[in-house]
Amino acid sequence: MTKKRCEPERGATAVFSDSDAVARYADGPRRQVPGFEAMQRMAEILLAETAPENARIFILGAGGGLELAAFARSRPGWSFDGVDPSPEMLKLARQMLGPDLARVQLHEGYVEDGPAGPFDGAACLLTMHFVPKADRVDTLRGIRTRLKPGAAFVCAHHSIPGDAAERNLWLTRYAAFAASSGIPADAAERGRAAIRDRLAILSPEDDEAALVAAGFTGIRVFYTGFTFRGWVAYAP
C-alpha cells in the first residue's frame, strides 16, 4: 500500500478510522476467518524456517496488532517493524502488544513509509484485499525489496475463484461461517455485501501471478478457509 492508494481505499477502510469499530476489531477475525489462530501459527512457523532467532520482521497492515502480538509471544528474540495507514488501528496495536511493544516499531503510512530493511521475513495478513488491483504488484514488490535473499514472506487474504456466481456462493458461505460464530445474521450479510462490492479481490491464480510479477519465488499455498487463501513465497 502506498500513499497514492489512500484515496481508492477510502470506501473500504473508513471503518478503521472509526474508534468504536476499531475497539471491536480484535474479536472480528476470530469469528470471520476460519482457523484464524491456526493460520497465524502456520505463518509464524513458515517465517521461522528461514529467520534467525534474532530476526527482524516486517509487517504490512500491522494495525490492530493481532499478528504482531502472536508472533512476539512465540518468538521472544524477534523484533518487528509494522506499517499501517490508520492511527486508530496503530493505537490498538500498541494496546494489544503490552510489554512486547518494546520490540516493535510502528510506522503510520504505507509500504514505502516503512524502513528499507533488509528484513529476515515479512507478513501481510488480512490486508492485501484492501489494496487496489492495479497497485497490488507494486505493493508486493515494495515488500520483496525489503527482504534479505531467501527470506520468507507470508500473506493471507480474501482470494475467491470462479465467475460471479461461484464467488457469490463462497461469500454466502463466508457469511454463514460468521453467523455460526456468533455474529448477528444481518451483520454477517452486510459484511458479505461490503466484501463483494468494495474490496479488491483477485482470484487465486491472479494472486499468485502478482507474487511472481513482484519477483517472489517458491510460491506455495499454505492455508485455505472458504474465501481466504494464504501463501508463502521467498525473496530471490
Side-chain angles (χ1 to χ4, degrees), residues 4 21 67 74-75 94 96 105 127 154 166 173 184 203:
K4 70 179 180 179
E67 63 265 48
S74 296
R75 303 287 171 173
R94 293 185 181 95
M96 291 287 293
Q105 296 293 321
T127 296
V154 289
E166 185 175 1
R173 292 165 173 165
S203 69

Side-chain angles (χ1 to χ4, degrees), residues 17-125:
S17 298
D18 182 324
S19 58
D20 290 337
V22 168
R24 298 190 298 271
Y25 169 77
D27 191 46
R30 295 181 178 89
R31 295 184 174 192
Q32 296 167 322
V33 182
F36 171 67
E37 291 174 335
M39 181 268 287
Q40 286 186 320
R41 292 198 303 274
M42 287 188 284
E44 174 227 314
I45 288 167
L46 291 167
L47 290 172
E49 286 180 346
T50 57
E53 291 185 2
N54 63 344
R56 185 183 179 203
I57 305 294
F58 182 76
I59 307 290
L60 184 65
L66 295 178
E67 63 265 48
L68 277 170
F71 294 167
R73 283 194 302 268
S74 296
R75 303 287 171 173
W78 287 6
S79 61
F80 305 87
D81 280 88
V83 180
D84 198 281
S86 168
E88 289 291 333
M89 290 292 281
L90 289 174
K91 181 180 177 180
L92 178 59
R94 293 185 181 95
Q95 295 170 359
M96 291 287 293
L97 283 162
D100 289 321
L101 182 59
R103 290 187 282 131
V104 179
Q105 296 293 321
L106 294 173
H107 311 270
E108 182 180 337
Y110 300 86
V111 64
E112 76 275 16
D113 296 304
F119 290 91
D120 297 295
C124 183
L125 304 182

Side-chain angles (χ1 to χ4, degrees), residues 1-20:
M1 296 184 293
T2 68
K3 291 176 182 176
K4 70 179 180 179
R5 298 182 178 93
C6 183
E7 188 66 27
E9 291 178 5
R10 184 173 296 173
T13 61
V15 66
F16 297 132
S17 298
D18 182 324
S19 58
D20 290 337

Side-chain angles (χ1 to χ4, degrees), residues 188-202:
E189 173 56 27
R190 288 195 300 272
R192 183 194 68 82
I195 291 167
R196 180 196 63 206
D197 297 337
R198 299 179 186 176
L199 296 191
I201 299 176
L202 303 184

